Amino acid sequence: MITEILILLISFVLLLAIGTPVAWSIGISSVATMLVTIDTLPAFTTVAQRMATGLDSFALLAIPFFVLAGQIMNQGGIAQRLIAFAKAVVGSLPGGLSYVNVITAMLFGAISGSALAATSAIGGILGPHMKKEGYSKEFSAALNVTSSTTGLIIPPSNILIVYSLASGGVSIAALFMAGYLPGILMGAGLMLAAAIWVKKKKYASGEKSTFSQVSRTFMDAFPSLFLLVVVIGGIVAGIFTATEASGIAVVYSLVLAFVYREMNMKKLYSVFLSSVRTNSVVMLLIATSMAMSWVMSYEDIPQVISSVLLGLSDNKYVILLIINLILLFVGMFMDMTPAVLIFTPIFLPVVVDFGVDPVHFGIIMVMNLCVGLCTPPVGSVLFVGVGIAGTTIQKVLKPLIPFFVVMIIVLLLVTYIPGISVWLPGLVE
């Protein structure tokens, strides 16, 4: 057993260290682990078979559809209208553009379900305005990067769909409802940290908006915001599944982009091409992660790790703290999708034995891994945000620290106060 664990861990880490793509690292290390117990041909055949069957899921169809919807929204003028609405509401406050950044990220991230889409869209549009009003590029990038992750907690969220699959069928509707309060709490915490920074740096206030400006920008943004009502309302009411909702999101966003006159056939071709590229990476990650998860189960690795964890303490709160620390570390080196698929089967049985609701644990896991998206060396959202801002990771780290602190505090609140996650799902059951 120790041999299998060491081979899996060492091969995976070494492959990552030499720059092998994450999906290939997962697949190769899975095959290497299988070779310990079975012959070469069956090992390769089994891993390939598990990759194929891992993708054979109706629920997984929601991911490419939501990715496509996010790409359409990114190019379809939705981000501009959400920014204009948020600016009309809070832009007149001291440091108002920082609040605009967070609010827009929460709205756009929730609508698109993608932290990368939110980072690129909001950073590209709002970044130059913040620079013009005296905000440093480093502060703008730090705020944009951290606030963009709220869209992975506030539904619809692709990663919550992945968790539902990895957990063995936890309700997607319940997970979506559970994400609202933690996501809003995270956004509020980031705005508080931004307010303290703004007061310290004495950033200027913006122009006060009139009621007519607020009304006009709200009406411009309302069709985009209504997508949330359609998607989440339909899922919670049982009118359609998450997969069907993702298809509706594509059609709705496409119609909206043409109505806004921000989309043409040339742009649409580019959107489809970009969506295919993104989905190819995501689906390969899911396939290899599902194979690794099966290999670990075959070798009884989850049971060994569970026994080790239970041997450390019989206190639920201590176990949750240990799992949080492990996931924070994992998030620094692994993308969210494989992390959820690999570690959910390991940790979920442990916390369920302690009486933790699987829906609650799903939110805990996603919030942990959201921090990893903002941290080097693998944080994809961090690299995108820094690139758009035209600065370096080294310069962004200092303004990132207060936002990291907020994210950790909110994570601990959600971890140890289950009602933040499970209250809303309990109301609609």
Side-chain angles (χ1 to χ4, degrees), residues 12 15-16 19-26 285:
F12 179 64
L15 287 165
L16 285 180
T20 308
V22 176
W24 285 97
S25 300
I26 293 171
L285 276 170

Side-chain angles (χ1 to χ4, degrees), residues 182-268:
I184 292 170
L185 185 61
M186 182 71 78
L190 292 173
M191 282 193 281
L192 178 61
I196 295 171
W197 185 279
V198 161
K199 186 175 181 181
K200 180 181 176 182
K201 297 294 182 179
K202 298 180 180 178
Y203 288 123
S205 304
E207 295 182 6
K208 190 172 183 179
S209 300
T210 63
F211 179 76
S212 63
Q213 286 176 314
V214 175
S215 301
R216 178 174 52 79
T217 55
F218 172 73
M219 292 308 297
D220 282 344
F222 178 77
S224 305
L225 296 173
F226 189 67
L227 176 60
L228 284 174
V229 178
V230 173
V231 171
I232 305 302
I235 294 172
V236 172
I239 299 173
F240 39 72
T241 65
T243 303
E244 292 163 344
S246 66
I248 292 170
V250 170
V251 175
Y252 187 101
S253 57
L254 190 58
V255 170
L256 203 58
F258 278 105
V259 169
Y260 284 156
R261 297 183 180 178
E262 300 278 353
M263 185 66 68
N264 53 45
M265 295 309 295
K266 185 178 179 181
K267 239 183 187 181
L268 187 60

Side-chain angles (χ1 to χ4, degrees), residues 313-321 351 354-356 416 418:
S313 174
D314 59 358
N315 186 301
K316 175 175 74 173
Y317 303 106
V318 173
I319 292 296
L320 284 172
L321 179 60
V351 297
F354 282 102
V356 177
Y416 294 116

Side-chain angles (χ1 to χ4, degrees), residues 125-345:
I125 297 169
L126 199 56
H129 291 287
M130 295 184 76
K131 183 180 179 181
K132 187 177 178 181
E133 294 199 11
Y135 294 82
S136 69
K137 291 188 294 185
E138 291 72 30
F139 171 78
S140 300
L143 183 60
N144 183 33
V145 165
T146 50
S147 62
S148 295
T149 62
T150 58
L152 297 174
I153 309 168
I154 302 172
S157 168
N158 287 339
I159 198 63
L160 289 177
I161 296 171
V162 173
Y163 172 79
S164 173
L165 179 71
S167 65
V170 173
S171 167
I172 294 175
L175 287 167
F176 279 5
M177 293 301 294
Y180 275 112
L181 291 182
I184 292 170
L185 185 61
M186 182 71 78
L190 292 173
M191 282 193 281
L192 178 61
I196 295 171
W197 185 279
V198 161
K199 186 175 181 181
K200 180 181 176 182
K201 297 294 182 179
K202 298 180 180 178
Y203 288 123
S205 304
E207 295 182 6
K208 190 172 183 179
S209 300
T210 63
F211 179 76
S212 63
Q213 286 176 314
V214 175
S215 301
R216 178 174 52 79
T217 55
F218 172 73
M219 292 308 297
D220 282 344
F222 178 77
S224 305
L225 296 173
F226 189 67
L227 176 60
L228 284 174
V229 178
V230 173
V231 171
I232 305 302
I235 294 172
V236 172
I239 299 173
F240 39 72
T241 65
T243 303
E244 292 163 344
S246 66
I248 292 170
V250 170
V251 175
Y252 187 101
S253 57
L254 190 58
V255 170
L256 203 58
F258 278 105
V259 169
Y260 284 156
R261 297 183 180 178
E262 300 278 353
M263 185 66 68
N264 53 45
M265 295 309 295
K266 185 178 179 181
K267 239 183 187 181
L268 187 60
Y269 172 79
S270 175
V271 164
F272 279 129
L273 190 60
S274 177
S275 176
V276 168
R277 287 172 179 158
T278 301
N279 280 312
S280 299
V281 174
V282 171
M283 287 303 170
L284 182 59
L285 276 170
I286 291 174
T288 54
S289 299
M290 294 294 284
M292 178 180 274
S293 181
W294 185 89
V295 169
M296 292 173 68
S297 177
Y298 177 79
E299 302 290 354
D300 290 330
I301 293 174
Q303 288 80 354
V304 173
I305 297 174
S306 298
S307 299
V308 172
L309 281 174
L310 294 172
L312 294 174
S313 174
D314 59 358
N315 186 301
K316 175 175 74 173
Y317 303 106
V318 173
I319 292 296
L320 284 172
L321 179 60
I322 293 171
I323 291 174
N324 275 337
L325 292 173
I326 293 172
L327 288 174
L328 286 171
F329 179 76
V330 167
M332 295 173 63
F333 299 97
M334 189 180 289
D335 191 70
M336 291 186 81
T337 299
V340 167
L341 288 169
I342 292 167
F343 287 95
T344 297

